[in-house]
Amino acid sequence: MELHSFQHRRILLDGWQLAPAKRVGSGGEEVSQLGFDTSQWLPTTIPATVLAALVQGGRCGDPYTGMNLQAISREPFQSPWWYRTEFPLSETEMRRFTLLEFDGINYAANIWLNGRLVASAEEARGAFRRFQYEVARAVRPGGNVLAVEVLPPGPGDFTIGFVDWNPPAPDRNMGLFRTVQLHFCNDVSIENPCVRTDLDLDTLAEARLTICADLVNHRDRPIWGVLDVRMEGVQITRELYLGARDTKTVVLTAAEYPQLRLAHPRLWWPHDMGRPDLHVLDLRFGAGPEVFDLTSVSFGIRQVEDYRTAEGHRGFKINGRDVLIKGAGWTDDLLLADTPETIETELQYVRHMNLNCIRSEGIWGKDETLYHLCDRYGLLMMVGWSCHWEHEQYLGKPVDERYGGVTSPEDIELVSRSWEDQLLWLRNHPSIFAWAVASDKLPAPELERRYLEIFRRRDPTRPYLASTGGFGSEQRIICREELVSEVSGGSGVKMLGPYEYTPPVYWYTDTRRGGAYGFNTETSPGAVVPTLESLRKMIPPEHLWPIDACWDFHCGLNEFSRLDRYREALAKRYGAPATVEEFARKAQTLNYELMRPMFEAFRVNRPRATGVIQWMLNAAWPKMYWQLYDWYLMPTGAFYGAKKACEPWQLVYHYGDNSICLVNDRPSEGHGLRADMRVYDAESRLFLAAYLPVPDTDGTPATVFRLPPLSGISTAYFLSLRLLDATNAELARNFYWLSTRPDVLDYQARVEPWEYYTPSRQYADLTMLNRLPPAQVEAAYEPGANGGGVQVRLTNHSDRIAFSIELLLTDEGTGEPLVPVFWQDNYVSLLPNETRVIAAVLGSTVRKPVLTVRGWNLEPVRLSS
């Protein structure tokens, strides 16, 4: 047994074993777990679901490839499983009071320690409850045995869920999916410390802090002690009396302790607004030389507010400044098998794409890694419950049409206590800017009143969303009457899709559903097909082409179980592909073309638009839908489309009115800017050029130019936009491929059963791209300046545009794509006779990366160092 020290007097329990349960006893009977024959048990680490442990231990095949997941029997996971570990305790540790803590059990457990029943499954129940048990009388010096009989979630249980994003895990993620730890204290424990901020929002020159924590006396006698509070030059002591078995919430305010008034504090900002500075608070409770307990917590000094626009849309402010939410939806791995390394890579990707937010529908994570890293990287988080509990087909029991599945007194009690547990666990993270207690529907009034009481008592510092669905000023017919809470009113946000194929013009012209106004908490232009290399990993060779049921299996569920709409759009816009290679190439171009304008439109439409969450960011398993990068951590064309759209400043093509707009998140630096705009036909002939000064703005989007009618140009044509500084140095570039045959949407159509999709009556015609004259592109590359990547030099030696060039780095030995990879730009196009240098940083050191350069109208180039 190995003990890992992680915070003063807490140790994580490791060295577990796993086996199907054969009941040894129940109820109040003693069970001697020491007598188990565990020689055939599977060694595992915690946290781990049952299926994740079986896959990692080689007892179950790869569930991610082909249709293997379908072949895994559900039957073994209908019954309980044992988790068992042994751990030693020293005489010194035995002199302290011992608390056994479970951060996440899915779904219930009988917990035994040294043959004693610590808690039954009737008590230790609920995937999002956190449990703490006093076990001072059950532990003993030397060897100890902890055995946990985990019962699986059943129909109607409020468990972990992926809704329609992908097939559910066969074990429904049963197991100890979060940490198990021992907490040693001397009679009194410090629980739930937190720091709240009240800023002078006019000057940001002063912050008034409030510090609070719960002190719990575990003994049957009163205790006097001194609470010692320290943080960066601040020290406060306070004498306290705790009655026998007493819990006291201690609150220290700046009014009482002037040292909690901080002058010119270092603030926490989203990364696109400033530095995400963090601080550490140390708490110690003791009497003289005796320390009862001590703990530390990281926090940020920042203040969150919400506001309403004139139309009633909700927006958010950080430290008094409006922030446009540019985010995407997070999911954990299908088996909850993420690692700290993969999580960090994914959040680095979020920053690399210039996004500033992730939305977590479902409170994810095996531990606080996700939340700590968002704090560090300056990424906002919207955290709340999943809609998994709001629909009968996922919850497994009848639900209320308005309130979902949490309606009975028993369920309200369980879920409200679960919410309080999660809020106390996470409330200290400055990255979390809003709590969402429902998704598609509303909480029942009695449940919402419980939520609000918890917020007032435990965390009044953040805006609260009764639902991530809602209404905007022009949506009353659709949902105003349905999603206005009787308790808290309207949410001021919307969640009206789309989730399927959506052409670029939609975001600028839709005024009733998901278009670029208000805060769209969940939306997407639809399927995002992975790159060719990822397709070859997830689809067996015999199913790779033509597209068949194996591809469909890697879509989603229900409405999203096929690629029909995506394939139709690809064929009509770009021409039907004949091979999987052609399909993958055109798919990345389509991914880019569809993703970029969604983010651009919300930026162009500020301040009427206050935020957008792309559904989704990542993938729980290898799939075809919604991701910006795939399960293998391979960026798609959508990744680079989002990255381009969210650059700090940019010239943007407005698909709705053919104008060119400036978006600028750095108005203080945006003086003397100029716009270089060029239109080329499909033969790469310059059709129109303009070189204009760009007006200075305060950050509000501005129209720079409006394209005139382009009579006589080819059906497909190109638009190049360059933003230059006062010295004509390039600050940003954008490149569009457009059609004189416009997309036409049928806004009057009703699509059953999924009304949040607007069908197309006409598709833009970009098929001329298949007949582009060939370009001659020379490529060269060398190690990057920092030694951790490469610099690629691309030279177009022809008078033809080289269109949609993909840069790919692979391992010379295995041929596998190198990930993570952070390209400065990708899927780029070169103007005639243009040279460009593009850098990439790799997440790991590779001695000999191979560079492949491929595009629409050039011969592939493969270079090795």
Side-chain angles (χ1 to χ4, degrees), residues 461-691:
T461 68
R462 294 175 175 88
Y464 153 90
L465 290 173
S467 174
T468 53
F471 65 91
S473 61
E474 300 175 62
Q475 301 175 43
R476 295 170 186 165
I477 295 174
I478 298 175
C479 65
R480 185 182 184 116
E481 296 304 318
E482 294 147 2
L483 287 180
V484 176
S485 165
E486 300 94 321
V487 178
S488 60
S491 66
V493 299
K494 65 178 184 178
M495 195 176 71
L496 301 172
Y499 299 89
E500 273 283 15
Y501 163 76
T502 304
V505 71
Y506 171 91
W507 307 104
Y508 291 94
T509 58
D510 172 77
T511 60
R512 298 185 67 244
R513 288 190 168 90
Y517 64 93
F519 185 4
N520 195 341
T521 61
E522 189 176 298
T523 192
S524 175
V528 177
V529 171
T531 63
L532 177 63
E533 287 68 28
S534 292
L535 289 173
R536 285 175 168 155
K537 289 182 183 178
M538 60 193 281
I539 305 295
E542 64 272 19
H543 293 281
L544 198 55
W545 194 258
I547 292 172
D548 63 10
C550 190
W551 288 62
D552 295 340
F553 187 64
H554 284 269
C555 290
L557 301 179
N558 306 321
E559 182 70 11
F560 312 110
S561 61
R562 300 175 68 86
L563 288 173
D564 292 3
R565 289 169 179 159
Y566 183 89
R567 293 173 63 189
E568 179 183 16
L570 185 142
K572 291 190 173 179
R573 296 179 83 82
Y574 294 106
T579 64
V580 69
E581 291 81 8
E582 183 184 0
F583 177 78
R585 171 171 56 83
K586 290 183 173 179
Q588 297 319 308
T589 303
L590 181 63
N591 291 342
Y592 191 116
E593 184 201 16
L594 300 186
M595 187 59 65
R596 175 175 56 176
M598 182 185 75
F599 284 106
E600 287 181 340
F602 276 81
R603 297 188 72 194
V604 165
N605 283 1
R606 292 185 74 178
R608 188 179 182 225
T610 60
V612 59
I613 301 292
Q614 148 66 15
W615 201 251
M616 301 174 70
L617 169 73
N618 55 355
W621 79 316
K623 68 174 185 178
M624 307 287 178
Y625 260 84
W626 298 325
Q627 62 217 341
L628 294 174
Y629 53 89
D630 64 33
W631 184 79
Y632 305 102
L633 301 180
M634 185 69 180
T636 66
F639 179 106
Y640 294 103
K643 181 179 186 300
K644 180 64 67 177
C646 296
E647 287 181 359
W649 40 25
Q650 191 61 273
L651 290 174
V652 169
Y653 173 68
H654 189 306
Y655 283 86
D657 64 10
N658 294 322
S659 63
I660 309 301
C661 302
L662 171 71
V663 291
N664 184 5
D665 293 341
R666 298 174 177 172
S668 62
E669 304 174 36
H671 304 294
L673 303 182
R674 306 189 72 82
D676 181 343
M677 299 167 285
R678 306 180 194 184
V679 176
Y680 293 85
D681 69 9
E683 296 290 327
S684 299
R685 294 182 292 243
L686 183 63
F687 193 85
L688 180 147
Y691 182 75

